[in-house]
Amino acid sequence: MNIILLGPPGAGKGTQAEFIKKQFHMAHISTGDILRQAVKENSPMGIKAKSFMDQGALVPDEVVIGIIQDRLQQQDTMKGYMLDGFPRTINQADALNEMLKGLSSWDQDRAIQHVVYLEVPELELVQRLQGRAAKEGRVDDNDETVKNRIKVYFEQTSPLIDYYEAKKLLRRINGRGAIEQITKDILSVLS
Ligand code: ADP
């Protein structure tokens, strides 16, 4: 099974990704994690990405599209993969379609079957992210960056809701409430 996790920053994608991964043994591909690792290692990609991430802006499409392109060629994704934090723009989603079709291993088994959309009201997002800033010390969780990430989400990422709805791939999940309940809702949609 191949899926996309979609939702605003602070929706709980990372938390739910851990449960889904255990259940279905799929490759977990988080562009945020990959970028943070690159920043830590001071690699050329990390150096390029850092200023965007610190401001809560999107890293340029060609960078993240490159990450996904490389990652989807690796063997472990053949048994299923979960994209977490990608795509984040319509352009990235179009690029994903094209690259899946272009894979040497292409067949229907490589296609996306579900886009799990975690829905959380905007006001709650701000509160959650500010809580996380205090707890985990992520530099991009400070007040101003948080506001910008949410703004960027509504402007650039939320159009993907309609995009995947039109492709009949969207699965809406209420992202409020107990973590276990949300996990249950996701698993029931996927099974
Ligand atoms: P969150 O979903 O909590 O905002 P992520 O870990 O998914 O956090 O992403 C952190 C940052 O990494 C984003 O604010 C952005 O700068 C960058 N990033 C991650 N994925 C993408 C992507 N697909 N396109 C552009 N930038 C990305």
Side-chain angles (χ1 to χ4, degrees), residues 33-91:
D33 286 351
I34 294 168
L35 289 166
R36 275 187 290 279
Q37 184 61 31
V39 169
K40 223 162 91 187
E41 288 167 358
N42 250 306
S43 72
M45 181 173 81
I47 293 165
K48 186 165 180 192
K50 188 178 186 317
S51 58
F52 295 98
M53 295 173 78
D54 287 351
Q55 292 169 43
L58 292 183
V59 170
D61 281 345
E62 72 266 16
V63 175
V64 286
I65 290 167
I67 290 175
I68 297 295
Q69 178 102 50
D70 289 346
R71 197 59 190 83
L72 285 179
Q73 318 241 10
Q74 288 167 28
Q75 268 302 318
D76 65 321
T77 64
M78 296 289 289
K79 61 182 198 298
Y81 60 84
M82 168 170 42
L83 300 178
D84 167 5
F86 181 94
R88 253 181 165 88
T89 63
I90 297 278
N91 188 40

Side-chain angles (χ1 to χ4, degrees), residues 103-152:
L103 285 176
S104 56
S105 58
W106 167 251
D107 59 45
Q108 263 312 309
D109 290 352
R110 299 290 279 159
I112 300 290
Q113 281 107 28
H114 306 281
V115 176
V116 174
Y117 167 43
L118 282 177
E119 236 175 340
V120 177
E122 187 169 353
L123 193 64
E124 186 162 333
L125 295 174
V126 183
Q127 291 165 351
R128 285 189 189 186
L129 289 168
Q130 286 166 349
R132 185 166 79 184
K135 212 172 71 199
E136 295 175 15
R138 248 177 73 170
V139 267
D140 63 349
D141 277 343
N142 70 60
D143 262 18
E144 210 159 301
T145 314
V146 160
K147 285 197 194 109
N148 199 38
R149 274 158 59 213
I150 293 173
K151 176 166 165 268
V152 164

